[in-house]
Amino acid sequence: MEALKNVMCPSCRGPDQFGGDTYLKEQKLREENGQLREQLKRYENIVANYKPLMVDVSRNAMDELIKLVQSDSPFWIRSSADGRQVLNLECYESIFPGVAKSPNVRIESSKDSSVVIIDSLELVDMFMHANKWMEFFPNIVSRATTLEVVSSGLTGSRSGLLQLMYEELQVLSPLVPTRKFYFLRFCEQIEQHTWAIVDVSYNFPQEPFSNSQSPVRLLPSGCLIQHMLNGCSKITWIEHMEIEDVILPILEEVSHLHALHFIFFLYLFSVITSTHGKRNLMKLSQRMVKTFCSSINTVNGQQVMISGMNDLEVCAMLQRCTDPGHPNSIVLSTATTISVPFASVEVFNFFRDGRNRPLWDVFSNHNHVKEIGHIACGSHPGNRISVLGASGTSQSNMLILQESCIDSSGALVVYCPIDPHAINIAMSSEDPSVVPILSSGFAISPDTGENLGPGELSAGSLVTIVVQIIMSNLTTGTMSQEAVNTINHLVGNTIRQIKAALNCSTCNSAIC
């Protein structure tokens, strides 16, 4: 426990130092920026040579997307595992024949739809803007950028806009690699009140950075957006990918990026209440969830795998937080995935209930926690943003901001300690971006590693545990023995307390 004594509360300010690493890191950033500028020039030259081909590829992809969106059976069938809509591959390949596939290729496909309280033109604008796209889906999109506008479309309209983009999609487990690919995104107004946006991978001939080097191929995917009355829209979403990698069967389901994921988070966004104070609290919570998701599959800082803790592997990273509102000190981020023999909804209800927090939170000092207030984010009682208060004397001046959400594909419970003044800033219409956020939490997915019969649902879950703390005694970003000891104590004690609370002696590492 000695290592934990040097850990600071996330609401405190640690030493603003980074030792001799500052010069080296700045030099590395300059080199990376120079490489990016050179790569951008290459993109411009390539796009100039391949513009007609890009237009043809995107229009063919749009035709395929519209056919799939407007088709039901026999193109789409219900999965026997979870009831979601998936492609009937035999029917699909008879209409859209593709190239020969290697034995390691697997297909991921899904289709879903919903009505959201967002205007159709607002949705189109957000989807065609890379930064807004990331903000919309922080749990899925870890990085996105527009490399080149191939065609600007009609004047004053997004119709006909064609962009070459780069994207990294993440799965909320450190055991599943981030999916990276270059793709074309094409937007078209197909009827007076109907828009379609399609994504499709694009291979650059004889270019080393193209999708020819990527194990992921994005087949025509995207959405159909239909304008409705009262500022609402009906959106139908399709995801279709070819994945060529080797992954353990227990992780296949958690690695799927379903259309339901996109639809669900769109729905949550659309039910934000209109009062400004609550909007700010929602923004604060959105940033909390974004930092949680980005900490699992991050591209910055030092990353190591630490073994030897009862056969459990932990992904750990030290980095300096420089984002607005974040503590300006060295942060230790850890993530690991375990399997538990309980259904996802049971695990979700256990973690989101403040009354259970003393059973698993190593920083709670066994103090009880109660909900002070919440904002509902949908019809399910578990979809909410909550402000929790601790009843113990040492923690009585500290609050906990928590967001929980669940659907049939999985669940999130994300939280961070926060002082009452920060909550007042958010609720009093001040800028919430200045509030320090350092989030931890759980990503919960059904465990489909076992062979299930038709219609059977998994009785187990995969739980990704993320803990982030400030290291007060570290002045460099190098993984020290102190940091290793902190990881072993912190993550090990958290998992042991979870196992004890669930009365579960069979919680295992997902990769054992």
Side-chain angles (χ1 to χ4, degrees):
M1 297 298 292
E2 184 65 25
L4 293 180
K5 294 180 181 178
N6 298 319
V7 176
M8 295 182 61
C9 169
S11 64
C12 302
R13 298 285 180 175
D16 186 14
Q17 299 175 3
F18 218 70
D21 285 358
T22 303
Y23 173 76
L24 294 177
K25 288 184 176 293
E26 289 180 353
Q27 188 178 36
K28 183 179 179 181
L29 286 174
R30 291 191 189 98
E31 293 175 356
E32 291 177 350
N33 288 336
Q35 293 172 357
L36 289 174
R37 282 192 292 269
E38 291 179 4
Q39 197 173 42
L40 182 58
K41 292 180 181 178
R42 293 174 64 193
Y43 293 138
E44 293 173 348
N45 294 332
I46 291 168
V47 169
N49 293 330
Y50 293 103
K51 260 190 181 183
L53 182 58
M54 290 179 175
V55 172
D56 290 341
V57 169
S58 62
R59 290 204 173 276
N60 290 336
M62 178 65 76
D63 292 341
E64 179 174 327
L65 176 74
I66 293 174
K67 289 179 182 177
L68 292 179
V69 168
Q70 296 177 343
S71 301
D72 292 313
S73 180
F75 273 104
W76 296 97
I77 56 177
R78 292 287 177 180
S79 167
S80 60
D82 56 14
R84 74 177 187 273
Q85 286 186 293
V86 297
L87 273 176
N88 181 337
L89 295 181
E90 183 177 349
C91 181
Y92 171 81
E93 291 175 355
S94 68
I95 305 298
F96 303 105
V99 296
K101 302 178 180 65
S102 75
N104 293 330
V105 168
R106 70 179 191 275
I107 302 296
E108 293 182 7
S109 63
S110 57
K111 177 184 178 183
D112 212 319
S113 63
S114 180
V115 174
V116 297
I117 314 172
I118 309 176
D119 180 75
S120 58
L121 293 179
E122 183 180 357
L123 281 175
V124 170
D125 178 68
M126 290 179 174
F127 292 170
M128 299 305 294
H129 193 288
N131 288 338
K132 293 179 180 179
W133 173 250
M134 285 193 296
E135 292 174 1
F136 238 82
F137 305 106
N139 61 313
I140 303 173
V141 184
S142 60
R143 186 180 179 188
T145 183
T146 300
L147 301 173
E148 187 72 20
V149 176
V150 181
S151 174
S152 57
L154 301 177
T155 304
S157 172
R158 295 283 188 178
S159 185
L161 176 58
L162 175 59
Q163 299 175 161
L164 173 64
M165 302 182 70
Y166 173 77
E167 183 174 56
E168 296 181 7
L169 302 182
Q170 65 180 356
V171 175
L172 298 184
S173 171
L175 307 179
V176 180
T178 301
R179 297 175 180 177
K180 308 174 182 180
F181 43 83
Y182 296 84
F183 67 101
L184 296 170
R185 175 165 290 180
F186 180 46
C187 175
E188 190 169 44
Q189 185 174 10
I190 60 175
E191 294 178 2
Q192 184 177 0
H193 299 296
T194 304
W195 295 77
I197 298 175
V198 66
D199 295 343
V200 62
S201 285
Y202 187 79
N203 294 323
F204 293 101
Q206 299 179 343
E207 285 297 330
F209 57 83
S210 72
N211 291 310
S212 60
Q213 305 295 318
S214 172
V216 182
R217 181 182 173 215
L218 183 63
L219 299 175
S221 304
C223 61
L224 193 71
I225 304 170
Q226 297 170 280
H227 175 78
M228 301 181 69
L229 299 177
N230 301 320
C232 296
S233 302
K234 180 181 179 181
I235 184 165
T236 303
W237 206 289
I238 285 178
E239 282 298 306
H240 191 192
M241 293 184 183
E242 285 183 356
I243 315 293
E244 185 174 6
D245 58 10
V246 178
I247 191 169
L248 294 176
I250 195 173
L251 296 173
E252 282 192 4
E253 176 59 27
V254 73
S255 71
H256 286 189
L257 293 170
H258 302 313
L260 177 61
H261 292 144
F262 291 93
I263 289 290
F264 177 66
F265 275 85
L266 267 178
Y267 175 74
L268 286 185
F269 182 89
S270 73
V271 298
I272 295 177
T273 179
S274 60
T275 61
H276 194 73
K278 290 185 177 181
R279 277 185 178 272
N280 272 359
L281 191 60
M282 292 289 286
K283 289 179 181 178
L284 189 63
S285 183
Q286 183 184 36
R287 184 156 62 88
M288 176 183 70
V289 173
K290 182 178 180 179
T291 60
F292 169 83
C293 297
S294 63
S295 70
I296 297 178
N297 290 306
T298 184
V299 295
N300 298 315
Q302 180 184 2
Q303 190 166 335
V304 297
M305 297 300 295
I306 298 177
S307 305
M309 193 174 61
N310 296 329
D311 295 325
L312 186 70
E313 292 195 358
V314 180
C315 183
M317 180 190 65
L318 285 171
Q319 65 175 347
R320 184 181 184 183
C321 282
T322 57
D323 293 336
H326 285 214
N328 190 18
S329 53
I330 298 176
V331 173
L332 173 62
S333 300
T334 64
T336 190
T337 299
I338 63 173
S339 61
V340 297
F342 298 98
S344 296
V345 65
E346 296 178 90
V347 181
F348 171 74
N349 287 333
F350 171 78
F351 283 123
R352 79 176 182 86
D353 191 337
R355 295 171 296 182
N356 295 328
R357 182 173 287 270
L359 301 178
W360 57 262
D361 189 348
V362 297
F363 292 118
S364 69
N365 295 325
H366 303 290
N367 291 317
H368 292 286
V369 175
K370 64 178 181 179
E371 185 178 77
I372 299 174
H374 75 273
I375 300 174
C377 298
S379 57
H380 192 288
N383 294 335
R384 60 172 59 193
I385 295 171
S386 304
V387 177
L388 309 175
S391 58
T393 56
S394 64
Q395 300 281 333
S396 59
N397 63 339
M398 183 60 63
L399 301 176
I400 297 172
L401 179 64
Q402 176 175 290
E403 179 164 349
S404 56
C405 56
I406 187 171
D407 61 27
S408 61
S409 65
L412 285 178
V413 179
V414 184
Y415 63 90
C416 72
I418 192 167
D419 61 52
H421 177 65
I423 293 291
N424 290 334
I425 288 177
M427 296 299 290
S428 63
S429 302
E430 296 183 46
D431 183 7
S433 66
V434 300
V435 176
I437 289 292
L438 194 61
S439 55
S440 301
F442 308 92
I444 307 161
S445 302
D447 181 355
T448 57
E450 301 177 356
N451 293 325
L452 301 176
E456 291 183 337
L457 298 178
S458 171
S461 301
L462 294 178
V463 182
T464 294
I465 305 167
V466 175
V467 181
Q468 297 193 91
I469 52 177
I470 296 175
M471 300 296 293
S472 60
N473 284 359
L474 291 185
T475 58
T476 69
T478 303
M479 189 68 67
S480 64
Q481 186 60 45
E482 178 188 356
V484 173
N485 293 339
T486 300
I487 293 167
N488 287 328
H489 283 296
L490 181 61
V491 179
N493 288 340
T494 298
I495 293 176
R496 281 189 286 272
Q497 291 188 194
I498 290 173
K499 291 170 63 175
L502 294 175
N503 192 23
C504 169
S505 60
T506 58
C507 295
N508 299 314
S509 166
I511 58 175
C512 290

